C-alpha cells in the first residue's frame, strides 16, 4: 500500500505536480582555507582575485559548484584550478549564508579547511586567480594576523578581503586552535 499525503497523493503523484520554481534558489560555492605548518611557522594560502567582484582583493581559493557536483568535489576542483594543488584532506568548517555576502546575488558557500605540508606542493595561480601564495600567520587569542607585503593586517578588520573570507578564515583558525584530536 502506497502512502498518501493529506491531499490523497502518492509521492510520485505529488512530485509530478510539484513546482520547483515555488521557492527561490541560491547559488552554491565552495571555498578552501589551506594552512601549512613548517618549522613552527603557520602559513595560509590565499589568492588575489583576477576578476570582478573584488578585483585585486585577497580571497580563498573557491568558486561555483557545477550542477549535480558534490560541494567537496567543488572545493577540490577549485583548489586545483586556482592554485595547482591537486590533493588536500579537507574538513568542513561550516556554511556561510549571510544575505549580501556576495554582490552577485544569493550565494551560499561551504567552507573547508586543510593542513598541508607546503614543502611537498607547488602553488601556481590559475583560472581567475591573478596570484596565489603563502602568507605568514600569527594566531592570537582574539585575532588572526597576516603578514601581507611586509605589513601585518588583522582579519578581525577584514579590510582587503573579498566576500566574507576574513570571517571564514577566523572560524577555520579557531578550529585549528581547538583541534584536540590533532586530526588536521
Amino acid at each position: 500500500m502506497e502512502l498518501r499525503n493529506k491531499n490523497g497523493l502518492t509521492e510520485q503523484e505529488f512530485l509530478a505536480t510539484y513546482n520547483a520554481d515555488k521557492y527561490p534558489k541560491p547559488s552554491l560555492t565552495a571555498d578552501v582555507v589551506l594552512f601549512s605548518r613548517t618549522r613552527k611557522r603557520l602559513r595560509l594560502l590565499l589568492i588575489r582575485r583576477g576578476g570582478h567582484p573584488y578585483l585585486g582583493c585577497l580571497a580563498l581559493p573557491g568558486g561555483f559548484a557545477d550542477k549535480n557536483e558534490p560541494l567537496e568535489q567543488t572545493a577540490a576542483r577549485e583548489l586545483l584550478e586556482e592554485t595547482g594543488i591537486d590533493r588536500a584532506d579537507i574538513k568542513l568548517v561550516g556554511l556561510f549564508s549571510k544575505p549580501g555576502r556576495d554582490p552577485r546575488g544569493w550565494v551560499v558557500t561551504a567552507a573547508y579547511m586543510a593542513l598541508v605540508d607546503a614543502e611537498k606542493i607547488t602553488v601556481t595561480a590559475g583560472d581567475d586567480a591573478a596570484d596565489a601564495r603563502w602568507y605568514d600567520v600569527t594566531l592570537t587569542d582574539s585575532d588572526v594576523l597576516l603578514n601581507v607585503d611586509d605589513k601585518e593586517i588583522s582579519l578581525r578588520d577584514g579590510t582587503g578581503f573579498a566576500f566574507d573570507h576574513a570571517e571564514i578564515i577566523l572560524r577555520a583558525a579557531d578550529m585549528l586552535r581547538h583541534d584536540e584530536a590533532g586530526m588536521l
Side-chain angles (χ1 to χ4, degrees):
M1 177 175 185
E2 289 189 83
L3 294 177
R4 295 185 178 275
N5 67 8
K6 64 182 179 181
N7 297 322
L9 299 174
T10 65
E11 185 170 328
Q12 184 178 4
E13 292 166 338
F14 166 78
L15 291 174
T17 61
Y18 182 75
N19 179 2
D21 295 326
K22 182 176 179 182
Y23 300 101
K25 294 168 188 58
S27 294
L28 296 175
T29 61
D31 294 304
V32 181
V33 183
L34 201 64
F35 290 110
S36 172
R37 192 181 303 273
T38 56
R39 296 185 186 108
K40 297 188 178 185
R41 191 172 78 192
L42 185 64
R43 297 190 304 167
L44 173 67
L45 181 68
L46 294 172
I47 67 164
R48 281 221 186 256
R49 288 191 48 85
H52 292 297
Y54 297 106
L55 178 65
C57 288
L58 292 171
L60 297 168
F64 287 95
D66 291 337
K67 188 174 182 177
N68 298 319
E69 179 181 49
L71 289 173
E72 297 84 359
Q73 188 175 331
T74 302
R77 176 179 51 77
E78 288 290 339
L79 186 62
L80 176 61
E81 289 175 3
E82 293 186 354
T83 69
I85 297 172
D86 63 356
R87 285 185 314 185
D89 187 19
I90 59 175
K91 176 180 180 179
L92 183 66
V93 172
L95 297 175
F96 293 80
S97 61
K98 186 186 304 177
R101 65 173 298 278
D102 189 318
R104 295 170 290 192
W106 186 16
V107 179
V108 175
T109 198
Y112 296 90
M113 68 180 289
L115 184 63
V116 299
D117 184 348
E119 293 177 2
K120 294 183 178 179
I121 57 178
T122 302
V123 176
T124 306
D127 195 27
D128 57 355
D131 185 31
R133 73 170 90 161
W134 294 101
Y135 293 90
D136 289 334
V137 175
T138 302
L139 299 179
T140 70
D141 289 339
S142 61
D143 202 354
V144 173
L145 304 172
L146 294 180
N147 185 333
V148 177
D149 301 326
D150 295 323
K151 290 187 275 189
E152 191 170 76
I153 62 171
S154 162
L155 269 80
R156 286 268 175 235
D157 176 9
T159 301
F161 283 86
F163 311 104
D164 54 358
H165 289 188
E167 179 184 339
I168 293 170
I169 297 165
L170 286 168
R171 185 170 314 163
D174 193 49
M175 288 176 66
L176 188 64
R177 275 190 203 96
H178 297 99
D179 183 34
E180 295 174 18
M183 297 186 68
L184 291 174

